[in-house]
Amino acid sequence: MFKQLFEPVSSTLTYLLIDDQTMEAALVDPVDKQLESYVKLLRAVGCKLKYSLETHVHADHITASGMLRQQLDVVTGVGAACGAQSADLQLKDGDVLHLGRQAIYVIATPGHTPGSMSFLWNDRVFTGDALLINGCGRTDFQGGDAGEQYDSITKRLFTLSGETLVYPGHDYNGKRVSCISQERDTNSRLAGKTREEFIGIMANLNLPKPRMIDLAVPANRMCGVPDETQQG
Ligand SMILES: [Fe+2]
């Protein structure tokens, strides 16, 4: 079982993964503003949330992971290189998480941030802001590195089976799903581009600073609950 959820303010795509044998579930990239709707949905579906996972420390919204941990006793997981000390799992490349007998494979895809991770689950991969539909995450802040991004996408994600469904962390154009072969063949930043060409493209995007970055990044390093340590 699977649900794709959309948070309109930051255009964030959140995913609910459920093993229908055990009803164990994971959320990928939950947003704080949607906390109540997640709790309602989990109750309606009748699943037990086991993990709340982040593809990276986000700059444009605050995660609901810490609040889900407080309310539902879930295990939070973030890439070890994200500097999110309060996360229960400091995820590394090759880690495997389980929902019942189903596996979630952790693939390190640094570049957008040094700790960016993708999660491969059955026939689909959750790419966060590494690979977007006909795009990719920016690499001009939070320790981003365009060369690393190119290597992560071309050597780790584009080497997955072409039919693997690509579910990104954001989409700003109303798109919701792609697949590896489509991105390999048509992604305008990557298809047919050399590493040097890609680095040049990424260096010239001239994007504005994200509105929430100064608030969101420190909060997300604490799973979105900055006062949690003081609360014990
Ligand atoms: Fe991001």
Side-chain angles (χ1 to χ4, degrees), residues 56 58-59 112 129 170:
H56 62 296
H58 305 276
H112 174 61
D129 293 357
H170 293 285

